[in-house]
Amino acid sequence: MLELINANLGGFNNALGLQFTKADPDEYVAEMEITDRHLQPYGLVHGGVYAGMIETLCSTGAALTVWGESKTTVGLENNTSFLKAVRGGRLRCTARPLLLGKRTHVWEAGIHDDQGRLVASGRIRLMVLEPGAAVAGREVSMQVKNDPAR
């Protein structure tokens, strides 16, 4: 599953430099190395990096939870709190489900720096879509590269 996820990260996650290291139904983990492109003008990691990591891990977990039913998920809400400033090193995000409902999921995630400090936390609420559902005028579907089932 890790190979499949990492082969299908998409443009934004590739730009972040995100790599998944664990993909279990009850826990997803990914890491990234902080570079200059992740910093805001004060030299601190940009809040969008934290929000993006949290949304990516929670969304991936939710999507894979319903994938076997040919359903998809889309984000409804992202609440990310920035707890400690970071200037460099590695970030590790861990996401876990709180609620796996029929129509909505709620996931939570925490980001730790390479010193083990919790630097950001968040909660993502997602909507579960039936097969063939459209969003923004198009059917929601994932274009999977390197799918071992195909």
Side-chain angles (χ1 to χ4, degrees):
M1 186 55 69
L2 281 175
E3 285 182 34
L4 180 65
I5 294 170
N6 285 321
N8 291 280
L9 287 173
F12 178 76
N13 298 318
N14 282 323
L16 281 179
L18 204 59
Q19 282 293 301
F20 277 77
T21 59
K22 182 177 183 181
D24 289 340
D26 60 344
E27 184 175 79
Y28 290 80
V29 180
E31 297 181 352
M32 60 170 274
E33 187 74 30
I34 299 167
T35 67
D36 287 345
R37 70 179 176 219
H38 301 114
L39 306 179
Q40 41 93 311
Y42 294 131
L44 304 171
V45 173
H46 192 284
V49 171
Y50 299 127
M53 286 183 78
I54 288 170
E55 179 140 354
T56 295
L57 270 81
C58 293
S59 294
T60 299
L64 292 175
T65 298
V66 300
W67 193 19
E69 302 170 57
S70 299
K71 296 180 180 179
T72 55
T73 57
V74 293
L76 295 173
E77 183 177 16
N78 180 334
N79 183 335
T80 299
S81 297
F82 315 127
L83 306 174
K84 290 196 179 294
V86 177
R87 293 186 180 273
R90 290 189 67 76
L91 296 175
R92 179 184 180 95
C93 185
T94 303
R96 296 180 182 98
L98 290 177
L99 170 73
L100 299 175
K102 186 174 183 177
R103 297 280 178 221
T104 61
H105 286 193
V106 178
W107 286 67
E108 69 177 353
I111 300 176
H112 291 80
D113 66 7
D114 49 14
Q115 297 171 39
R117 301 178 304 167
L118 181 64
V119 298
S121 66
R123 188 172 282 190
I124 305 294
R125 188 168 59 97
L126 304 109
M127 179 170 48
V128 178
L129 301 175
E130 294 298 321
V135 173
R138 288 195 177 159
E139 183 178 334
V140 179
S141 65
M142 186 167 43
Q143 305 303 313
V144 178
K145 297 180 266 180
N146 303 325
D147 184 352
R150 292 183 185 199

